[in-house]
Amino acid sequence: TKEEKSELYYTKDDYDMTILAVKAIALTHQLPHVSEEDTSTRSNCMVAAEADGFLRGIELLIYPQRFQNKLVARRALIKYQTHLETNCNGVTPEQKAKAMRMASEKLSAW
């Protein structure tokens, strides 16, 4: 029915209000920048943020550097996969998969 449909779907105004609320949450939960040397504080911040269930799904707004790192890693993996497919004809699929896995581990260790 029309009433059920209106309860199931967002209107444009509902969507806009949700986006504003998400951005407000992201701004109020900004964590201080932690240097690369201070890994204990950084890991504690990450654990605290992940324990906050309502932040799930908007962590990329809260941690823009994390989003940027994921994007760079994804692009590099795609380039490496293309390189393996075009330039490494004598390599078995298992070896290519192992090479991709190792590259992924390295790129994800930021």
Side-chain angles (χ1 to χ4, degrees):
T1 67
K2 200 171 195 177
E3 293 169 358
E4 290 173 337
K5 189 175 182 180
S6 69
E7 290 177 10
L8 291 176
Y9 296 99
Y10 287 109
T11 65
K12 175 77 169 125
D13 291 336
D14 291 338
Y15 177 76
D16 290 341
M17 290 304 292
T18 302
I19 293 299
L20 287 174
V22 165
K23 287 182 179 179
I25 291 170
L27 288 174
T28 59
H29 284 81
Q30 286 287 339
L31 296 175
H33 178 71
V34 180
S35 66
E36 290 297 319
E37 295 82 28
D38 193 4
T39 57
S40 64
T41 305
R42 182 179 29 184
S43 62
N44 288 341
C45 288
M46 294 301 290
V47 168
E50 288 173 4
D52 246 347
F54 76 94
L55 295 180
R56 190 155 191 76
I58 61 170
E59 65 268 4
L60 296 182
L61 285 174
I62 296 172
Y63 305 106
Q65 186 61 44
R66 187 175 181 183
F67 174 73
Q68 186 67 32
N69 290 344
K70 282 184 173 188
L71 188 63
V72 169
R74 190 178 315 136
R75 286 181 180 162
L77 278 174
I78 291 171
K79 271 187 178 180
Y80 187 58
Q81 182 180 22
T82 304
H83 167 76
L84 286 175
E85 289 175 355
T86 57
N87 298 336
C88 301
N89 295 332
V91 180
T92 66
E94 291 81 16
Q95 291 172 326
K96 289 180 183 179
K98 183 178 179 183
M100 284 294 295
R101 186 172 47 253
M102 290 173 58
S104 177
E105 288 174 4
K106 277 187 176 181
L107 289 169
S108 298
W110 62 73

